[in-house]
Amino acid sequence: MPKNPAPDSSAPQTAMPSGAGGSADPAAAEPAAAGASCVRDPSLAVEFQLLGSAPFVIGMDEVGRGAIAGPVAVGVHAFSLASGEMPEGLRDSKLLTEKRREALFPLVCEWGAGAVGYGSPEAIDEFGISAMLGAAGREALLQLHRDGIPVADSVILLDGKHDWLSPALKRPLRVVTRVGADRACGSVAAASVRAKVLRDRLMATAATREPHYGWESNKGYGSKAHYAGIAEHGVSSLHRKTWIKK
């Protein structure tokens, strides 16, 4: 167990001021260059740049933000100089078929330490999606800390332009935001695959208990079949009730 302090584990009821963790590297936090949104195969260039001042870069990405049922999931993946080459064919989970994601998942797990945290539908309804993204990210980081990763000394590489993690933390961490990191950065792509595979499995299992909503295929997103199931059977305990269109 590392001696450095762990991320705070209390519920995110009182958020810190925005930017409490800070985006430590302004250059790295700038939006990706023109054409970067078309990147398909990630590299480790950003990670190697950040490793000059930290022992690990922890990629972080979310899955399920826009679903109307099921939790939001936040994946993390720790990368260091000892990690070696990324798995062949690794990409942002949205660019991979379900079959390919499942095949890559064990390779990602072998590549380095990682974890997935969740924000429940009930908590999303009560606290809002941004707060629960932060709570899920903090949960995933706490798992990494328990597995021996020096989280407090590492750089968190967060996909997107908004730092939704820092308000959920009692102790600031070094957070770098980057637009398009899920496509451009290997550690973030790995975090995306971890979160997507585990959340999809959770929704497929839930579909066996409540088969009315088509979760095995729509994974909780608002498809036509999903809304038809709601119209006929009502909402379930896995629905984000404040998100359902009337």
Side-chain angles (χ1 to χ4, degrees), residues 93-112:
S93 65
K94 296 185 292 295
L95 300 179
L96 299 167
T97 64
E98 184 170 1
K99 181 178 180 180
R100 185 59 184 149
R101 287 193 299 266
E102 287 284 350
L104 276 168
F105 183 75
L107 302 180
V108 166
C109 293
E110 291 174 5
W111 186 38

Side-chain angles (χ1 to χ4, degrees), residues 2-244:
K3 295 181 180 180
N4 51 292
D8 176 54
S9 59
S10 59
Q13 297 181 9
T14 304
M16 293 173 59
S18 179
S23 187
D25 295 271
E30 291 176 356
S37 61
C38 298
V39 172
R40 295 178 65 85
D41 296 315
S43 75
L44 295 170
V46 173
E47 284 87 344
F48 279 118
Q49 179 183 11
L50 294 172
L51 283 175
S53 59
F56 283 87
V57 173
I58 300 174
M60 178 176 286
D61 197 17
E62 54 80 18
V63 171
R65 180 198 292 256
I68 62 171
V72 68
V74 174
V76 294
H77 183 89
F79 177 79
S80 74
L81 291 174
S83 296
E85 296 183 3
M86 77 177 79
E88 185 176 355
L90 177 63
R91 289 179 174 178
D92 171 25
S93 65
K94 296 185 292 295
L95 300 179
L96 299 167
T97 64
E98 184 170 1
K99 181 178 180 180
R100 185 59 184 149
R101 287 193 299 266
E102 287 284 350
L104 276 168
F105 183 75
L107 302 180
V108 166
C109 293
E110 291 174 5
W111 186 38
V116 178
Y118 300 93
S120 72
E122 297 86 355
I124 291 171
D125 281 335
E126 182 174 359
F127 297 110
I129 188 65
S130 291
M132 295 320 300
L133 283 169
R138 185 190 60 235
E139 177 189 333
L141 291 174
L142 284 165
Q143 292 181 48
L144 274 187
H145 173 75
R146 288 191 289 267
D147 289 340
I149 301 299
V151 172
D153 297 327
S154 301
V155 178
I156 315 300
L157 179 55
L158 180 61
D159 178 53
K161 62 181 180 180
H162 174 57
D163 176 9
W164 40 255
L165 175 65
S166 291
L169 303 173
K170 185 174 181 180
R171 299 183 183 93
L173 296 176
R174 186 179 171 202
V175 179
V176 172
T177 58
R178 186 176 179 88
V179 174
D182 52 355
R183 297 193 176 204
C185 304
S187 66
V188 182
S192 173
V193 169
R194 285 179 182 272
K196 178 65 173 169
V197 168
L198 292 185
R199 187 184 183 278
D200 281 3
R201 290 178 183 177
L202 185 154
M203 296 306 297
T205 298
T208 65
R209 300 190 301 268
E210 300 190 69
H212 319 298
Y213 308 108
W215 290 336
E216 70 281 359
S217 58
N218 62 53
K219 304 303 190 289
Y221 285 84
S223 68
K224 184 177 180 180
H226 192 169
Y227 273 108
I230 293 172
E232 184 174 356
H233 299 279
V235 297
S236 74
S237 60
L238 271 184
H239 280 103
R240 304 173 189 177
K241 296 175 178 57
T242 60
W243 290 45
I244 305 300

